[in-house]
Amino acid sequence: MAYSEKVLDHYENPRNVGTFDKDDSSVGTGMVGAPACGDVMKLQLKVSDKGVIEDAKFKTYGCGSAIASSSLVTEWVKGKSIDEALEIKNTDIAEELALPPVKIHCSVLAEDAIKAAIEDYKGKQK
Amino acid sequence: MKKPIYMDNSATTPCDPRVAEKLCQHLTTEGVYGNPASRSHEYGWLADEAAEAGRAHVAALIGASPKEIVWTSGATESDNLALKGAAHFYKKKGNHLITVKTEHKAILDTCRQLEREGFEITYLDPQEDGRLDLAVLEAAIKPETILISVMHVNNEIGVIQDMAAIGKLTREKGILLHCDAAQSAGKIPVDVNEMNVDLLSLSAHKIYGPKGIGALYVRRKPRVRLEAQIHGGGHERGMRSGTLATHQIVGMGEAFRIAKEEMASEAERIGKLRDKLLRGLQDIEEVYVNGDMKHRIPGNLNISFNYVEGESLIMALKDVAVSSGSACTSASLEPSYVLRALGRSDELAHSSIRFTIGRFTTEEEIDYTIELVKGKIGKLRELSPLWDMYKEGIDLSSVQWAAH
Amino acid sequence: MIYLDNNATTQMDSTVVETMLPYLREKFGNPSSRHRQGRAARAAIDTAREQVASLVSAHPSQVIFTGSGTEANNLAIKGYVAGVMSGRLFIGSTEHPSVTSTADKQARFDGWSRFELPVTENGLLSDEAMEKLNMAKSGDLVSVMLANNETGVIQPISELYGQLGLKDKGVTIHTDAVQAAGKLPLNFSALGVHMLTLSAHKIHGPKGIGALIRDKSIAIEPQMDGGGHEAGLRSGTENVAAIVGFGAAAVLAHESLVRTSEKLLALRTKLENGLRMIPGIEIIADKTDRLVNTSCFTMASVEGETMLMMLDKAGIAIASGSACSSHDNTPSKILTAMGMDKSLARRALRVSLGKDNTENEIDTFLETLKMKLASFNSIASNVAI
C-alpha cells in the first residue's frame, strides 16, 4: 500500500518526539492502544495555568500511519486550549494525512490519545 | 549496489536470465508458439516437445516420472487440486483430513471450503520451533482419515518438516500424503519416493522461474486418483484442462534444471550469507529468531525486533525489500498466524521481519542491510513507548492495556 | 511455414512480448508484497485490468484474471451454481468442452439439471432452442458462446435473449467470447450478459492467462482458495507478466479492430472465392454471419485428418477441429450438432486467419490444397480400378 506524502513526511521527520515528567502536575499523559493490536500511542501535553497547551510530546509503537497521526496531533494541539484540543476529530486527522480505509483506526487512536491526556491532566487539577 | 536490495525471495524471485532467455524463445516469432494440443502440425508438435522436456526436468528434480507431473497455474491451484481432487474422489472412503495451522492459505482456505462441503478437518498445532510432533500427528489419525497435508518448508519461517518420517507413518496407515513443496523444491533435496508422498505441489516463481505456472506431482504407483477441478478439453490426462502455456512450462523446466544442477553449491553460499546476517542482527538487544534454526532452509531468517512494530520497520527499511509475513496476507493488519501458531506473543508476532536471501543476493547487500537495520531499530525504539517501559523495567504483560 | 490455425492459438505480437519482458526480470515483484517491487507489480496489474476492461467496455473492477479461458468458463458456471440451491443450465450444443463438461459435471449433483440448446445447420440457435430458453426462470443460467471456434458462426445472443426478455426474467447469462474478442466489437453491458470469458492467447497475447468479466450483481463463489487474490474470487499469486501481456494485447486488439477486420475479411473472401472453385468443397455456414477470420469447409473425398497431415508436410498449419479435441479421432461434435453426418464431419477442415497472414499465403494454400486433392483423387481412383 502506498503512503501519502504527508504520512511519509511525518514518519521520516517525526515532530515533538520525547517525554515530559509524567508526575509534573502541568503534564497530562495519555497512553492508548495495546501491543497485541500492533499500536500503542503515548501523548503528553504540557498545559499552562490559563489552560493553554504550551507543548506536546509523543512516542508511538505502530505502523507509519500511527506514527504520523500522533506526530501530527502534537503540532495541532500546541497553542490550543484544552477545550479546543478536544474538538480535534479523527476524521480531520485522516483527511489531513489521506489515510487509506485500513488505517483509519490510527487516526481514531490519535483522537483517543488527546482525550486520555486531557483527562489525565484534569484529574491532576482536582 | 542497486537499491532497493531484494530480500524477499520467498515471496517471489526474478526469472534467472537463463530461464528468461529460454522462455523468450517460446514467445517470439522466431520461436515455437504453437498450441501443444494441436496434433496436426509442426507448430503444435514442437510446442508439445518443449512442454514434455520441461516436464522431464521438473520430474527429475523431485525423483518422479514425467508421467506423474500435472501442470497447473501455480502452487495455489496445485494445492486446491490435490486437496479437493482427492477429497472428492475418496469421500466414500472417509471424510477426515489433517493439516497443520502453519500451512499456506492455499491449504487452509481450501480446507475451510472442504469443511463447508461437509468434510472434517483437524488443524494441528506445531511445536514452538515450528516442527510437527509426529506423535501429535499420529494421535489425530482416525479410521476416516483419507489425507494428510503437511508443507515441506514453511514460507514464513523456513522451517523444514521431517517429511520422510511423516510419509512412513501415512504409508503404514494407508493414508494419502500431500506436501506443499513450493518453498522447498530447488532449495533442499526433495525426493517423492524417499518421502513417500502421494501428492506434491510445486511452483516455478519461487525458484527463478516465471509466475503463473506450477505443477502437481500425482503418484502412479500406488496410483492416486483425483477428481478434476477444472473441466474442459481434458488436458493433463483429464486432471487439469486449459491450454498449456508453453513458454511458462519451458521456463519452469529450465528453472528446475538449473536448480538440480546448482542447488548444493547455492545452498552453501546462501547459508553463509544468512548466517552472516543473523550474526550481524544478533548484536541488537531484544531480538528473537522465529522457528528452529537447525531444520531451516538456508535462505530464510525470520526475526522479531521486540518493541518495534514490523510494518513501520518495513517502511524504515525502504531500501531493502523484506516482508512482515507471507506476501499473501501482508495487506491485512493481523499479525502473522504462523508465528501465533508457534505460540509467539502478539507483540513479537507484530515485530517480525522475514529476510529471504536468494540466488542474486550479494555479501555487500548483507553488510549494508545489517547496518541499515541497526540504525533504524535504534531510531524506532527511540520513538517507542514500549521500549521506554522495557528500559524502566516495567513488565508489559502486567500493564492493563485499553483494548480497541 | 504458413500458419492458418489462429483459432487454436496466435503468435504473440512482438510489442506484447516487449511489454512483458521487464516483468519477468527487473520488475518481478509479488503484487501482494508491500515494498516497492511489489507495488510496481500491483500497479502493472491495475493498468492491465483497465486495458482488458476497455476491450469489452467494462469497468476494471469487473475483471477477474484466471489461468486460462477454460478456467474462466469453469469459474463462471461452477462459481455461479455453487451459490444457488437449484436451477437449470441451458447450454448451447456447439460450446467449447470447458463449458459442456463443466455443465455436465454440475448437472450430476446439486439441484441442477442441464438442457441442451440445439442449433440449425447454420449453427444458429434453433426454434426449439428458443422454446426451451423461453422456459428459463429467475436464477437459471444460460451459456452460449458468442462466436464458434470451429465454424466462426456468430450467435446474435443479445437480440435473441432480448426477444425472450431473459434478463428481465432474472435469468443469469454467461457467454464465452474467447473467439469473438479482437474480431468483433464487444460491449459488455450492451451485450446484455452477466459474465463473459476472454483469453489472451487468442488475441496475440500470452498463453496461461484469461479473464472472466462479471456483473457484480451476480454472486459467484471462488473455485480456487487461498490468500484471496482477485477480490477473493481467484486465489494464487498473479501471473504478472502474462497479465501485462494480456493488457497490451487487449490494447492492440482494441485499437486495430477495424483495420484488422477489414484485412481479414478481404483475405477470407479471397480464400473462399478460391475454395468455391474447387469441386466438392462446401463452406460450412457459408451465408451465415461468421467471424471474418474463420472458414470451415468439407471436402468430397478426403478425411480432414489426412489432408492436414499432407498440408503439414507441405508447411501449412491448419486444423480439422478444435485443437482441444484433436487428440481423439471422433468427428467434430460441433459439426454433428449442426446436423452434419459423421462421415462428412470427418472430412472438414478449418482455416483460421490471423492479422499477419498475407495474400500470397492464401494463394499458396489454395494451390497446395488443389494439388493434394488431385493427387489423392488419382491414388483413390487407381485403387478403385
Side-chain angles (χ1 to χ4, degrees):
Chain A
M1 132 194 18
Y3 287 98
S4 71
E5 288 299 321
K6 282 181 177 159
V7 168
L8 286 173
D9 178 40
H10 276 280
Y11 175 76
E12 308 251 349
N13 313 291
R15 331 286 202 257
N16 307 308
V17 177
T19 311
F20 296 131
D21 177 4
K22 65 177 187 298
D23 298 326
D24 183 338
S25 63
S26 66
V27 170
T29 302
M31 177 118 80
V32 294
C37 306
D39 31 33
V40 175
M41 270 181 205
K42 187 177 82 167
L43 177 69
Q44 293 189 302
L45 307 175
K46 195 169 202 146
V47 187
S48 73
D49 302 341
K50 292 173 185 153
V52 174
I53 298 168
E54 288 181 321
D55 204 356
K57 296 271 186 212
F58 86 96
K59 287 210 175 189
T60 289
Y61 161 89
C63 65
S65 300
I67 291 170
S69 297
S70 37
S71 169
L72 177 71
V73 299
T74 60
E75 283 193 321
W76 277 3
V77 295
K78 273 199 223 178
K80 284 195 163 70
S81 70
I82 53 177
D83 288 337
E84 283 166 349
L86 285 170
E87 299 281 299
I88 296 172
K89 291 281 166 273
N90 79 289
T91 45
D92 305 332
I93 300 164
E95 196 179 327
E96 173 70 14
L97 295 173
L99 295 182
V102 292
K103 294 293 180 187
I104 296 300
H105 73 278
C106 296
S107 64
V108 175
L109 210 57
E111 182 189 323
D112 290 350
I114 301 174
K115 287 180 181 151
I118 290 176
E119 197 175 318
D120 180 58
Y121 170 77
K122 284 182 174 167
K124 284 180 178 172
Q125 308 312 309
K126 279 172 191 164
Chain B
M1 192 169 54
K2 211 181 112 196
K3 284 184 229 167
I5 293 165
Y6 191 73
M7 281 203 204
D8 202 11
N9 286 282
S10 283
T12 190
T13 55
C15 276
D16 187 288
R18 292 165 287 183
V19 171
E21 192 189 327
K22 196 100 190 222
L23 187 155
C24 288
Q25 289 169 4
H26 290 264
L27 282 178
T28 47
T29 326
E30 306 84 58
V32 179
Y33 58 85
N35 187 332
S38 292
R39 198 180 51 143
S40 54
H41 50 69
E42 203 177 325
Y43 286 91
W45 298 334
L46 287 174
D48 193 43
E49 253 173 52
E52 291 316 306
R55 202 188 294 274
H57 288 311
V58 170
L61 183 72
I62 59 167
S65 147
K67 289 178 182 160
E68 296 173 311
I69 302 298
V70 174
W71 301 119
T72 65
S73 64
T76 293
E77 188 186 331
S78 302
D79 287 344
N80 272 260
L81 174 57
L83 266 58
K84 291 177 187 168
H88 292 160
F89 192 89
Y90 294 103
K91 66 182 169 209
K92 287 204 179 81
K93 223 179 124 193
N95 73 335
H96 180 236
L97 290 83
I98 301 173
T99 190
V100 189
K101 286 182 182 167
T102 47
E103 292 292 308
H104 191 268
K105 287 281 184 195
I107 295 294
L108 297 178
D109 287 357
T110 299
C111 285
R112 298 281 177 222
Q113 174 60 28
L114 288 172
E115 282 180 312
R116 285 192 284 274
E117 293 173 17
F119 288 91
E120 189 199 337
I121 317 278
T122 300
Y123 301 91
L124 299 176
D125 279 306
Q127 300 169 155
E128 259 180 45
D129 60 5
R131 301 251 292 170
L132 182 60
D133 181 346
L134 218 60
V136 169
L137 176 62
E138 192 165 2
I141 294 173
K142 304 183 193 188
E144 305 78 45
T145 309
I146 48 174
L147 182 139
I148 293 174
S149 180
V150 177
M151 76 202 304
H152 194 190
V153 166
N154 183 273
N155 49 315
E156 292 194 28
I157 53 177
V159 168
I160 304 166
Q161 299 293 354
D162 187 353
M163 292 311 300
I166 296 170
K168 192 164 167 280
L169 176 69
T170 52
R171 188 53 60 88
E172 276 168 19
K173 302 264 181 187
I175 297 166
L176 291 178
L177 176 60
H178 168 255
C179 173
D180 179 346
Q183 296 286 353
S184 65
K187 293 173 188 151
I188 53 169
V190 175
D191 186 308
V192 289
N193 294 316
E194 260 172 38
M195 290 168 20
N196 273 319
V197 296
D198 300 294
L199 296 157
L200 182 119
S201 300
L202 297 166
S203 166
H205 78 98
K206 307 286 188 189
I207 57 160
Y208 315 98
K211 293 180 185 59
I213 179 86
L216 180 66
Y217 159 80
V218 183
R219 181 175 288 282
R220 281 164 72 93
K221 278 180 192 165
R223 188 171 173 206
V224 175
R225 308 282 298 271
L226 294 178
E227 201 164 281
Q229 298 298 308
I230 298 182
H231 302 274
H235 309 74
E236 298 297 291
R237 289 174 286 120
M239 280 192 259
R240 200 278 184 182
S241 293
T243 295
L244 295 171
T246 321
H247 64 279
Q248 285 176 299
I249 289 171
V250 168
M252 182 164 178
E254 183 68 0
F256 275 58
R257 185 192 68 75
I258 295 169
K260 188 168 195 290
E261 225 164 69
E262 301 180 358
M263 187 163 66
S265 59
E266 184 168 282
E268 197 188 328
R269 190 188 75 86
I270 289 176
K272 279 184 185 157
L273 291 179
R274 193 266 318 271
D275 293 342
K276 184 169 192 193
L277 179 64
L278 175 60
R279 281 195 305 276
L281 297 181
Q282 268 174 336
D283 285 352
I284 305 172
E285 243 183 295
E286 283 291 303
V287 298
Y288 299 89
V289 172
N290 297 308
D292 185 78
M293 273 309 289
K294 200 163 122 251
H295 302 99
R296 183 188 287 252
I297 52 163
N300 176 292
L301 184 62
N302 189 312
I303 196 161
S304 289
F305 300 91
N306 213 357
Y307 314 117
V308 171
E309 195 270 338
E311 195 183 320
S312 67
L313 182 55
I314 285 183
M315 211 170 148
L317 299 180
K318 65 176 193 302
D319 283 337
V320 183
V322 291
S323 115
S324 61
S326 75
C328 293
T329 55
S330 61
S332 72
L333 296 167
E334 292 294 305
S336 154
Y337 69 89
V338 171
L339 298 187
R340 296 270 295 271
L342 264 53
R344 277 290 191 221
S345 68
D346 283 344
E347 290 93 314
L348 280 180
H350 269 299
S351 302
S352 72
I353 297 284
R354 177 185 74 179
F355 298 88
T356 41
I357 295 160
R359 184 172 291 167
F360 305 107
T361 311
T362 63
E363 187 159 1
E364 192 190 5
E365 290 176 336
I366 297 287
D367 293 337
Y368 177 88
T369 303
I370 293 169
E371 288 315 309
L372 185 73
V373 172
K374 281 182 177 172
K376 296 296 182 185
I377 291 290
K379 188 192 156 209
L380 286 166
R381 281 185 174 164
E382 259 172 52
L383 262 177
S384 168
L386 303 181
W387 180 248
D388 283 352
M389 293 166 85
Y390 163 71
K391 284 284 168 185
E392 286 166 26
I394 298 170
D395 177 7
L396 292 183
S397 62
S398 71
V399 177
Q400 187 77 38
W401 298 101
H404 63 284
Chain C
M1 193 85 185
I2 298 174
Y3 188 77
L4 301 174
D5 198 11
N6 286 279
N7 285 7
T9 193
T10 58
Q11 183 185 342
M12 278 182 67
D13 193 277
S14 54
T15 61
V16 172
V17 176
E18 290 304 316
T19 319
M20 284 172 68
L21 292 182
Y23 292 91
L24 294 171
R25 293 277 301 139
E26 60 268 30
K27 299 182 180 178
F28 64 90
N30 185 325
S32 296
S33 294
R34 282 184 293 180
H35 44 65
R36 263 180 273 176
Q37 282 99 332
R39 294 201 304 271
R42 171 66 55 208
I45 291 178
D46 290 344
T47 304
R49 198 183 299 283
E50 286 168 19
Q51 291 165 334
V52 171
S54 79
L55 176 64
V56 295
S57 300
H59 190 270
S61 67
Q62 294 175 314
V63 178
I64 308 161
F65 286 116
T66 62
S68 62
T70 292
E71 190 190 324
N73 281 337
N74 273 255
L75 177 60
I77 296 172
K78 292 181 195 164
Y80 176 73
V81 165
V84 183
M85 285 298 284
S86 62
R88 288 175 289 187
L89 287 166
F90 294 90
I91 305 293
S93 56
T94 57
E95 294 303 300
H96 189 266
S98 55
V99 167
T100 51
S101 49
T102 302
D104 289 345
K105 176 85 190 299
Q106 296 309 297
R108 278 215 303 275
F109 29 77
D110 313 313
W112 283 80
S113 51
R114 181 196 198 284
F115 292 83
E116 186 144 318
L117 301 172
V119 294
T120 65
E121 58 173 21
N122 291 322
L124 296 169
L125 289 180
S126 66
D127 292 342
E128 189 192 337
M130 292 295 279
E131 279 166 31
K132 280 188 180 174
L133 271 180
N134 207 16
M135 310 183 318
K137 293 196 183 81
S138 177
D140 291 349
L141 178 68
V142 179
S143 180
V144 175
M145 72 206 314
L146 205 49
N148 187 269
N149 46 318
E150 287 190 28
T151 60
V153 167
I154 298 167
Q155 207 66 249
I157 58 169
S158 25
E159 285 160 54
L160 298 178
Y161 298 167
Q163 286 166 22
L164 299 172
L166 287 191
K167 211 171 178 181
D168 296 337
K169 287 182 187 169
V171 177
T172 298
I173 301 163
H174 167 253
T175 190
D176 176 350
V178 162
Q179 295 290 349
K183 295 163 201 155
L184 292 176
L186 294 179
N187 182 312
F188 180 63
S189 54
L191 267 174
V193 299
H194 298 102
M195 297 185 279
L196 179 144
T197 296
L198 295 174
S199 169
H201 78 101
K202 310 283 190 190
I203 58 166
H204 304 281
K207 293 181 185 62
I209 190 77
L212 182 68
I213 315 294
R214 61 80 156 80
D215 178 336
K216 285 198 254 176
S217 66
I218 299 298
I220 54 175
E221 292 197 3
Q223 297 302 303
M224 219 183 283
D225 302 302
H229 308 73
E230 294 298 300
L233 291 171
R234 203 281 188 182
S235 290
T237 299
E238 297 88 340
N239 187 352
V240 183
I243 289 174
V244 166
F246 193 179
V251 170
L252 276 181
H254 201 41
E255 282 173 355
S256 63
L257 181 66
V258 176
R259 199 170 60 244
T260 306
S261 305
E262 279 170 8
K263 181 189 166 178
L264 290 173
L265 185 58
L267 283 178
R268 193 187 65 179
T269 307
K270 182 182 170 70
L271 168 75
E272 294 195 339
N273 285 342
L275 288 174
R276 286 191 195 97
M277 306 284 283
I278 303 173
I281 284 191
E282 295 285 342
I283 295 166
I284 297 165
D286 196 353
K287 299 281 187 289
T288 313
D289 202 9
R290 284 175 292 144
L291 293 177
V292 290
N293 78 317
T294 309
S295 190
C296 192
F297 56 89
T298 53
M299 297 168 291
S301 49
V302 190
E303 292 229 331
E305 285 288 299
T306 312
M307 180 54 77
L308 67 84
M309 292 300 172
M310 291 163 94
L311 288 172
D312 184 64
K313 276 188 194 152
I316 298 171
I318 58 166
S320 60
S322 80
C324 294
S325 58
S326 61
H327 275 301
D328 52 56
N329 214 358
T330 50
S332 155
K333 290 202 176 80
I334 290 169
L335 299 181
T336 50
M338 288 161 74
M340 195 179 281
D341 75 60
K342 284 183 181 173
S343 72
L344 186 59
R346 277 203 187 88
R347 281 178 272 138
L349 281 181
R350 176 187 74 185
V351 172
S352 48
L353 305 168
K355 67 185 175 73
D356 301 316
N357 287 127
T358 62
E359 291 201 11
N360 276 342
E361 289 178 336
I362 301 294
D363 287 333
T364 310
F365 166 71
L366 285 168
E367 276 160 34
T368 315
L369 179 67
K370 272 187 261 185
M371 214 168 67
K372 298 292 174 193
L373 279 172
S375 68
F376 187 87
N377 286 339
S378 71
I379 297 166
S381 53
N382 284 344
V383 170
I385 291 164

